[in-house]
Structure formats: C-alpha cells, structure tokens
Amino acid sequence: MLASKKTGLKHQGSNINSIKQLDFSSLTQAEQAVLTALKSQCSKVFVTGAGGFLGKAICKRLIAAGIKVTGFARSAYPELVRLGVDMYQGDICDYDNLLEAMKGCDLVFHVASKAGVWGSEDSYFMPNVNGAANVIRACKKLKIKKLVYTSTPSVTFKGEDENGINESAPYAVKFLNFYAQSKACAEKMILAANGEKVKTVALRPHLIWGPGDPHLVPRVLARAKAGKLKLVGKEDKLVDSIFIDNAAYGHLLAGLDLCQAANSAGKAYFLSNDEPITMAAMLNSILASANMAPISKRVPATLAFYVGYFLELTYGLLRLRSEPVMTRFVAKQLSTSHYFDISAAKKDLGYQPQVSIAEGMVKLKLSLTDS
C-alpha cells in the first residue's frame, strides 16, 4: 500500500443564499419517494468527490429533499457551499482529513476518483485505492455503517465485446490502463469490507452524460470542431450509457437499500439507461444537440490500437503528462460492444431509468443552447 500524503484540511462550511436550488417538485415521483424515505433514515450524508459531475448531482438531490450533506473534494466549490452543502477541501489520501470531515455522518457516497485513460500508476492508485482504504477505515472508526461506492464497468473489460453481460462476469486479469486496474482493486476492497461494522455496495454506471458533463460531451464537441472525431472499426457496436439523473437516482436507491433491507450489501451492480445504441448513434446525437453535422469517417480498429500503443510508448519515454489523442484502451472501447444486463439492479434496488436517452438529449440541447 502506498503511503498517504499529509495535506491541510479547509472547512468551507455552508451558506445558503440566492443561488437557484434544484426544485424537489421537478423530480420524478420515484426520485421524490426515495429521497423522502432516505431523509427518514439518515441524519447527515457524506459525499466524496462532491464537486464532480455525479457527486454534485447527488448533493443537489439530497439538499432539495432537506437532507443535511457534508461534501469532500480536492478543490473549492463555492456553488455547493451556497447550496447549503457543508464543504471540506482536502486530500482523500490524508486519513486524518477524511476522518475529521466525516464526523457526524451516517451514510457515505464514495464518488471521488481519478478518472481518465492516461497517467502514472501512483497517480491512479494513490487516490483510487488508498483513498478507498481510508474511506473504509474512517467508516469503521466513526461507526458509519452504510457505504455506497462508485465503481466502473471497466473493472471487467478485457478489450473484447461485452454483450449483455451481468455481474457474474469476472474481473479482468490484464488491464489496458491504470484507471481500470485501480478501480478493480478498490471495488474488491470495498466489497470485502462488507460485514457487521459496515455494509457496502459498488455501483458500475457506464458512460455518464448530460447537461454539465465536463468529460464526454465537451470532448466529443471539441474533437468534432477540430475535424479529429472519427468512428473506430468497420461495424457499429452497441454501447450502454447512463443519463446523469439516472446515475444519481441509482446511487440514492443503493443508499436507501443499505438503510433498510440491505439486499445489495456486499454486491456490485451495473447501471445504465438500459437502451443499448451504436457508438455512431450516440456520438451523432451529442453532435446534433450542439447543431453540428454528424460524422461518418472511420479508421480501422487495428490501426487505432497500434497508434494508441505507439503514442503510449512515446509519451512514456518523453514523460509527457498530457493525454495522447489515442490509447490502446480508448481504441478498444470505441471498437467493441459494451452493454449490460441490469436485472440485478432492477430486482435488488428497484432501479428503473427515469430519463430516456431521447429525453436526455433534449435536456442536453437546451443546456448547450443556454450556455
């Protein structure tokens, strides 16, 4: 295990003012129901990665329901402070920081993670593996008995088609990047920690997108504007994605289940919109939301893979920190199918997508028009 860093903890506090909050009545009846039930079960909820895309969506829903929230993030997020989130700024690799911030909470959503496809082993394992170990340790120390972990379907990805697989699929043995490897290590650790002291569950949302997305949508639009966006492979493969509202809803359901029947304790679950579509359709729908022309140009999957391999070698030798335009992992992700059987999440958590892809694209278009 890598050594933890020692950094300062900054308590930003909370300060509700005129900032527009999420309207509770605008949520679906199912979302309102789970939040109302969760409010009766928890006094204060802790969210790591509170400033991220998913973490922020979870925080906003909890606050809308009148649930007290403590957020934890590496950077300052004045928007969350103004929403009423009790914010702490610190490093998840610093156990003492985490322990201090988690005091008084009784449910944890561990969303924080270093994502991406490029970086050193330490840059991923420190926050993703050591961070998860610190969260588990702090939960046990503070007697917080419910922990929901945000994992990824990449933990099972072997560079091959995944056609409707479920949670019985084994972890990959060889990984194409340190992100997937570190998340697999962390997920195993989280699930192994499940027991009398703390109940744990791991969720695997795939390809989260929607208004405010800082990753997928801006990257697609930027590459399209630069003329560098292309489809990979000769044939279109089906992929699952999940709209941000649905991803947040799945997490809230998991938190509620741990508070009640705990059917999900010690298990991992794939989450998606349950609407597999081709990668071409997904990318072109995003482009259409920004009134941009569709793409049809393709590059061979083998060529993309070896270009990624060459770039990884070059960037590694030159010790470049910027992300290559192509990596082996990205080439395989874009040229293989990724869709999942989410029957377990439906059965154990009561999960049903609340926003369809078509409805989500309308919301995305409105957000891009307003921005």
Side-chain angles (χ1 to χ4, degrees), residues 125-182:
F125 274 71
M126 283 289 288
N128 294 354
V129 180
N130 282 26
N134 283 341
V135 171
I136 294 168
R137 181 182 169 195
C139 280
K140 292 180 177 179
K141 176 71 174 180
L142 298 172
K143 297 182 180 179
I144 301 173
K145 296 187 175 181
K146 292 148 302 216
L147 169 58
V148 179
Y149 172 64
T150 307
S151 186
T152 170
S154 295
V155 300
T156 64
F157 184 55
K158 299 183 283 289
E160 303 170 354
D161 288 332
E162 294 182 317
N163 300 319
I165 66 170
N166 62 24
E167 292 79 8
S168 66
Y171 291 104
V173 176
K174 293 183 179 180
F175 295 91
L176 293 174
N177 63 14
F178 291 125
Y179 167 69
Q181 185 179 1
S182 66

Side-chain angles (χ1 to χ4, degrees), residues 27 52 63 72 90 101 104 108 111 133 162 164 167 199-200 207 209 214-215 237 246 285-286 291 316 332 360-361 368:
L27 301 173
I63 290 293
F72 190 89
V108 174
V111 186
E162 294 182 317
E167 292 79 8
K199 294 183 176 67
T200 65
L207 207 60
W209 62 279
H215 303 296
K237 299 295 183 78
N246 297 328
S285 293
I286 292 173
N291 297 316
K332 288 294 186 180
M361 287 298 172
L368 294 174

Side-chain angles (χ1 to χ4, degrees), residues 236-268:
D236 285 327
K237 299 295 183 78
L238 292 174
V239 295
D240 261 332
S241 67
I242 186 165
F243 189 67
I244 181 62
D245 295 13
N246 297 328
Y249 176 57
H251 279 69
L252 296 171
L253 283 170
L256 180 61
D257 177 70
L258 292 184
C259 293
Q260 296 179 335
N263 293 317
S264 62
K267 302 176 185 177

Side-chain angles (χ1 to χ4, degrees), residues 272-322:
S272 75
N273 250 66
D274 205 20
E275 299 177 82
I277 63 172
T278 65
M279 181 60 75
M282 183 67 188
L283 294 177
N284 284 327
S285 293
I286 292 173
L287 293 175
S289 298
N291 297 316
M292 296 178 65
I295 57 163
S296 57
K297 291 183 179 180
R298 294 178 179 272
V299 296
T302 302
L303 175 61
F305 181 83
Y306 282 109
V307 167
Y309 178 71
F310 173 76
L311 288 175
E312 286 183 49
L313 282 178
T314 303
Y315 275 55
L317 288 171
L318 298 178
R319 297 183 179 180
L320 300 177
R321 292 188 177 183
S322 57

